[in-house]
Amino acid sequence: MPAFTPNRNYPYPVPADPVDVPGDLQRLAEAIDLDVAGLTSSIPLRPALRLRGTDAFLTSTDTAVVGDGTSLPLDIEDFNTGLNYTMQTHSFVGGPTTRSVRILDPGIYFVHGTVAYPRPTSGTNRVKLGIYLKAGQGLTIPAIRIARGENSLQPTASDGIRTLSASTVFSSAGTVGTGYYSVWFHSHLAAGGVDTYTVTERTLTIIRMNPTP
Amino acid sequence: MPQNTPRGYSYPLYTDAHDFPAQMQDFATDVDTDVQNQVNTLADALAQPAARVTASAAQVVAANTDVTLTWALEVTDNANLFTLVAPTIFTVNELGLYLISVSGEWSGNADSTTSACGFRIQSSAGGVRARHEIRRGINSVPDTMATEVHVNTLHEITVVGETISVIARHNLPVASQVTEREFTITKISVDN
């Protein structure tokens, strides 16, 4: 009876087997061929997802979580190489509406968000415009800030569309109540308080760096 | 004497004693080991080292002074990149390409001057790798609101044990402070 290699199960004859050089070579060649073909056709991809929102979106004055602004809707999937997710919109008493991407699988993720903001056509001059990436723990617990970025200057008539970005690494256990990611924009007035602002394109990119959280 | 292909697969020469079962076993085992190594390498490529550290306590940054930020909480660390014994650095022992990000909040100051505040990502093997600063307080509006700064970069680790840290600096005439902050690193590729 032939024996088999320990890892990939390739067959080879043992001394007690009848001599059959062509047959044994063919069986080994075909086993290797089949194995390598299978590996080549199933080279695992790194799970990665980018979601985008393009419609002009008016952020609200945030009275629930001071300073965090508004979570932004994302409705276009630019690419997805195997990340399992669902979209969630939720709010709760005392909390802001949160539009999240719920990542279903456990792992360590690189998260990157962008928000484009043009010069506003009206309104008081804002002195602080910022982006937050937030990670939530479910539908009833406020999400926490996991990354941030800001520009202190509102675009003027000489400026085009500016973009804010933030990125970070965050771990999700993949259990119930974990893996909710969202991107937020806020604009502040000189006198304090969050003002409304119309943003345009925003993105949220999530890439799994390790399947073990 | 049996010979080996460049990948280490053995094969007999005409002058070698005939021992087909043993020679087949040697060849099959060589291919088996090589293919399994490739499978392991592919699996390892999807399971990268990564770490996230944070802090929330205010750290004072003196005027016009480089201050290395300190980190208090090791939120995620699957490769011993951080230790609270050395709370200002990631220590990287695997060569390769890494995505590094830092963001944090500079406290507001009741000061009507315009100033700049920023972070620099610094490597022990080559100095500053990325930087970003924000101008705060405009048109004599007091910069009493917190200012959020973010920097990220793609960096090649070329020295085993290379350390990465974050420098905070501002140019207010008085001390300022950094509060909520996060510092992360993840490998994305092996080195060439």
Side-chain angles (χ1 to χ4, degrees):
Chain A
M1 282 289 284
F4 298 88
T5 61
N7 296 306
R8 312 306 299 174
N9 232 27
Y10 302 150
Y12 59 89
V14 296
D17 289 336
V19 175
D20 181 9
V21 172
D24 290 329
L25 274 173
Q26 179 180 352
R27 279 184 282 276
L28 175 60
E30 288 176 347
I32 294 171
D33 184 285
L34 193 65
D35 188 33
V36 173
L39 291 173
T40 304
S41 67
S42 65
I43 292 177
L45 300 174
R46 180 178 299 286
L49 167 72
R50 187 170 77 195
L51 297 169
R52 188 158 48 97
T54 57
D55 56 315
F57 181 77
L58 180 67
T59 65
S60 61
T61 54
D62 164 30
T63 58
V65 181
V66 177
D68 281 15
T70 306
S71 67
L72 303 177
L74 305 160
D75 52 6
I76 298 171
E77 182 183 285
D78 277 345
F79 57 77
N80 186 356
T81 58
L83 212 57
N84 295 311
Y85 75 99
T86 62
M87 300 298 297
Q88 303 273 357
T89 299
H90 45 98
S91 59
F92 44 90
V93 175
T97 298
T98 303
R99 302 168 182 87
S100 299
V101 179
R102 166 113 199 272
I103 300 300
L104 301 175
D105 298 321
I108 301 175
Y109 292 89
F110 178 76
V111 185
H112 177 71
T114 68
V115 180
Y117 56 105
R119 179 174 68 88
T121 56
S122 63
T124 310
N125 198 29
R126 290 83 166 175
V127 297
K128 173 184 166 80
L129 305 111
I131 181 174
Y132 284 124
L133 299 182
K134 299 177 82 169
Q137 302 170 65
L139 305 180
T140 59
I141 303 172
I144 61 171
R145 303 170 185 171
I146 60 172
R148 63 201 76 216
E150 181 179 301
N151 192 321
S152 300
L153 301 173
Q154 177 175 293
T156 67
S158 306
D159 296 316
I161 297 176
R162 292 187 177 158
T163 302
L164 286 167
S165 69
S167 56
T168 194
V169 166
F170 199 78
S171 180
S172 292
T175 52
V176 172
T178 65
Y180 294 81
Y181 296 100
S182 51
V183 57
W184 298 61
F185 178 86
H186 55 92
S187 66
H188 293 250
L189 301 168
V194 174
D195 195 14
T196 62
Y197 203 103
T198 300
V199 300
T200 55
E201 186 169 280
R202 56 268 176 199
T203 66
L204 185 61
T205 304
I206 301 173
I207 306 172
R208 191 171 77 181
M209 307 311 300
N210 195 307
T212 303
Chain B
M1 278 287 287
Q3 300 294 296
N4 290 319
T5 66
R7 294 199 66 85
Y9 307 157
S10 60
Y11 58 91
L13 298 178
Y14 284 108
T15 50
D16 290 330
H18 289 186
D19 187 356
F20 181 65
Q23 287 156 349
M24 275 281 288
Q25 180 178 357
D26 286 346
F27 171 69
T29 303
D30 291 340
V31 176
D32 178 275
T33 300
D34 188 37
V35 172
Q36 186 60 45
N37 285 341
Q38 301 312 306
V39 171
N40 293 343
T41 299
L42 283 173
D44 289 346
L46 296 177
Q48 299 286 21
R52 175 181 176 85
V53 296
T54 64
S56 58
Q59 182 172 356
V60 174
V61 182
N64 295 294
T65 305
D66 285 350
V67 173
T68 304
L69 289 181
T70 300
W71 308 93
L73 185 61
E74 188 179 13
V75 180
T76 299
D77 186 359
N78 65 359
N80 295 317
L81 292 158
F82 178 82
T83 170
L84 287 170
V85 173
T88 63
I89 55 173
F90 285 134
T91 302
V92 187
N93 292 312
E94 273 188 43
L95 304 185
L97 300 180
Y98 287 77
L99 273 171
I100 305 169
S101 300
V102 60
S103 59
E105 185 174 278
W106 286 84
S107 292
N109 294 306
D111 188 297
S112 60
T113 59
T114 300
S115 65
C117 56
F119 297 138
R120 303 200 303 263
I121 296 174
Q122 192 139 296
S123 159
S124 63
V128 176
R129 285 292 171 252
R131 69 188 77 208
H132 188 57
E133 71 172 35
I134 299 290
R135 178 151 59 109
R136 54 188 303 177
I138 58 172
N139 301 325
S140 299
V141 173
D143 51 350
T144 55
M145 285 179 273
T147 301
E148 324 273 6
V149 179
H150 167 257
V151 188
N152 68 350
T153 189
L154 187 61
H155 175 61
E156 182 182 15
I157 298 289
T158 58
V159 176
V160 173
E162 185 174 334
T163 63
I164 307 295
S165 57
V166 179
I167 305 295
R169 188 182 179 97
H170 68 91
N171 62 0
L172 266 176
V174 296
S176 186
Q177 51 190 12
V178 177
T179 56
E180 267 189 18
R181 52 198 183 273
E182 44 275 330
F183 183 27
T184 67
I185 186 169
T186 180
K187 186 176 179 181
I188 66 162
S189 173
V190 296
D191 209 352
N192 275 329

